[in-house]
Each structure stands twice: as C-alpha cells, then as structure tokens.
Amino acid sequence: MPVILITGASTGIGNLTARSLARAGHTVYAGMRDVAGRNAGNAAALSELAGEERLDLRVVELDVQFQESADSAVAAVVEQMGGIDAVVHNAGHLVVGYVEAFTPEDLAHLLDVNAVGAHRVNRAVLPHLREQRSGTLLYVGSTIPVTTPPFLGPYVASKAAFDSLAVVTSYEAGRFGIETSIVMPGAIVEGTSHFSNATRAGDTAVAAAYAELDELVAANEEATRRVFPPGVVATPDRVADEITRILGLPFGQKPFRSVVDVADAGVDHVMRHVDNTRENFVLRMGLGDLLRTAR
C-alpha cells in the first residue's frame, strides 16, 4: 500500500486524515513538531490507536519551518520504507485581528508557516518522487482566498500564496509523473483548534486604535457559524474523508482541485472558472503539455 507523509498531524484535519488513511490500509507517517514535548500526548494517542487497531500509523518529527527537519523526516520515511508515495501538505496556523496591526514580522512568520513550509517539504521530497517518476502532492488549502472574510487578512494572504505555489509547482512536477491535488476546505469551527489557538496581531498600539471594531472580532467565530444551513455542522472529518478518497484513486483519476464546503459558498464554481482561465492561458502560450501529468 502507498506510503504517505502528513504535515501538521498533531490535531484537527491532519490528525483525522492520518487516522482515516491508516484505516484505509495505507502506511502513514504523521508529521508533527516537538514530539517529545508539547505534542507528546498527541503522538502517544496515535501510537496507541495504531496498536489497538493494528494500523501502520507512525509518528515522525517534522517542523515545516526548518529545512533540516523536513529533510530528516523525509529521509527517515524513505530509509524505513524504501520510498514515499504521497505527501499531504496540511500544516498551518490561523491569525485573527486588524491587518494594520500585524507587523511585517508577524506577516512574514505566517507566510513562512503556511506557504514556505510546504515548499520546504517539497524540496525534501521531490528528489525522491522525481527519481521514481511517480507520487502525489496533496495540498490542504482553503476556500478563504475566495470568500475573504474580515479580520483574517494575513491568513487569507498566506493561503493564497500556498495555493499559487501548489499550482505552479504542479507544472514542473507533472513532467516526472507526480500528480497534484488541492483540497479546499470551507469554514470549520468544530473539531479543530484553529480559533482557540489563533495568534493576535503584534502591534497592540495599532490594534487599540481599532477598538470600536473589537466586538465584531470577538464575534468572528460565531459569525462564521451563521454561514451554515440550519442543523449542519462543518467538521474536519469531511475533509479527511475526501483526502482519503482522492489518495485511493488510481493514477490519472485524482482531481486537480476539490472543494469541501458545507456552507455552499460557491467557491467550486469560482475555481472551475479560475482553473479554466489559467489552463487556457497556458495553452495559448504553447505549453499545454505542462497541464498533463506524464506517465
């Protein structure tokens, strides 16, 4: 069965995806940072589950902010399994606040985690995938660059950058038999620690200048709940199930993009138009071969 590495697998979508993929019969490496420290409990829970259900589910130290960590994690998987078949780029962090109040350092840090982190992991894994001329890069993006809600500015920018890197990387990786899928979850307020662990803007003086909007920011999570139909709860297991479905598909049948959004914001329609426009432009450039994954 395929060998799959997941980033950001300590909680939320990544954790549920690790469990789902392992139960589907895959060999899964759940990547998370600080396995011996802050995530020791999360790592132990996955190891316990693997023993109870006889799953091939393993934990590996992986901090996407450091190239050495990404290199070591990928090297460990390849050494133990003889290769690697797929990477699920899931690691990410949420920030909430007023755009002006985020310092340039705040913004750079978030872009580093949410976009550059995936690039580091790609730099670690692509040499192996190119050599074997097969594999899948699956990116857990977001509908948020399209819906663009208020008070999440740096996060919106980071997920847009993440999506763009996934697209342009796909042109080059595809020539080596490497498939790309971008899964775009809609808003999720249950089953993740996104809102509870969200970082606030670093410039508190500027943030104070926006105090008249503080009540709106405080109600942001509850406002997000209003976009769901009555009785519908958006949970991360829906995303985990879709990732598992996609990675179980044979070569050539994986969707380039999949929107998982119970809020039905219409992002799937927007992205079909965006991707069609992009593909037509590449075709007009005479580079249509880059749109297809070589076998």
Side-chain angles (χ1 to χ4, degrees), residues 48 59 62 64 83 132-133 142 144 181 194 218 222 233 248 259 261 272 277:
E48 183 178 347
V59 175
L62 174 53
V64 300
Q132 67 192 28
R133 301 191 77 85
S142 175
I144 209 165
S181 284
H194 265 344
E222 184 57 37
V233 178
V259 176
D261 183 20
R272 276 199 294 272
T277 300

Side-chain angles (χ1 to χ4, degrees), residues 152-203:
L152 302 174
Y155 183 73
V156 173
S158 69
K159 297 308 284 188
F162 176 86
D163 191 284
S164 294
L165 278 172
V167 171
V168 295
T169 301
S170 73
Y171 299 144
E172 300 149 17
R175 294 300 292 268
F176 296 88
I178 302 165
E179 297 183 288
T180 292
S181 284
I182 304 171
V183 176
M184 301 176 70
I188 297 174
V189 293
E190 302 287 347
T192 75
S193 56
H194 265 344
F195 277 99
S196 60
N197 290 339
T199 298
R200 299 288 170 160
D203 193 330

Side-chain angles (χ1 to χ4, degrees), residues 44-277:
L46 286 182
S47 297
E48 183 178 347
L49 177 72
E52 290 175 351
E53 299 187 18
R54 297 185 179 181
L55 306 175
D56 198 354
L57 173 57
R58 316 173 190 204
V59 175
V60 62
E61 178 80 28
L62 174 53
D63 188 336
V64 300
Q65 289 187 265
F66 299 95
Q67 189 64 56
E68 296 82 0
S69 181
D71 292 342
S72 295
V74 170
V77 175
V78 172
E79 180 180 357
Q80 293 170 24
M81 302 305 303
I84 187 168
D85 298 293
V87 172
V88 177
H89 290 294
N90 171 74
H93 184 64
L94 180 68
V95 297
V96 178
Y98 311 113
V99 175
E100 183 190 349
F102 287 95
T103 66
E105 291 76 19
D106 291 338
L107 181 56
H109 174 74
L110 191 68
L111 287 165
D112 186 68
V113 174
N114 288 0
V116 181
H119 182 62
R120 290 191 184 98
V121 175
N122 277 346
R123 282 177 55 82
V125 75
L126 278 171
H128 301 283
L129 301 186
R130 287 200 316 273
E131 183 178 2
Q132 67 192 28
R133 301 191 77 85
S134 67
T136 302
L137 301 175
L138 190 147
Y139 300 80
V140 183
S142 175
T143 60
I144 209 165
V146 178
T147 57
T148 320
F151 311 127
L152 302 174
Y155 183 73
V156 173
S158 69
K159 297 308 284 188
F162 176 86
D163 191 284
S164 294
L165 278 172
V167 171
V168 295
T169 301
S170 73
Y171 299 144
E172 300 149 17
R175 294 300 292 268
F176 296 88
I178 302 165
E179 297 183 288
T180 292
S181 284
I182 304 171
V183 176
M184 301 176 70
I188 297 174
V189 293
E190 302 287 347
T192 75
S193 56
H194 265 344
F195 277 99
S196 60
N197 290 339
T199 298
R200 299 288 170 160
D203 193 330
T204 55
V206 171
Y210 287 86
E212 62 188 81
L213 298 177
D214 283 353
E215 289 186 5
L216 297 177
V217 177
N220 188 279
E221 183 175 353
E222 184 57 37
T224 302
R225 295 177 189 275
R226 297 192 195 111
V227 305
F228 305 124
V232 174
V233 178
T235 56
D237 59 289
R238 297 172 185 263
V239 184
D241 290 345
E242 176 64 356
I243 293 169
T244 301
R245 182 190 74 83
I246 290 172
L247 290 180
L249 295 173
F251 178 88
Q253 295 186 26
K254 298 178 183 67
F256 182 77
R257 195 179 294 276
S258 175
V259 176
V260 183
D261 183 20
V262 298
D264 195 22
V267 174
D268 50 342
H269 304 298
V270 172
M271 295 314 301
R272 276 199 294 272
H273 180 69
V274 168
D275 283 329
N276 284 338
T277 300

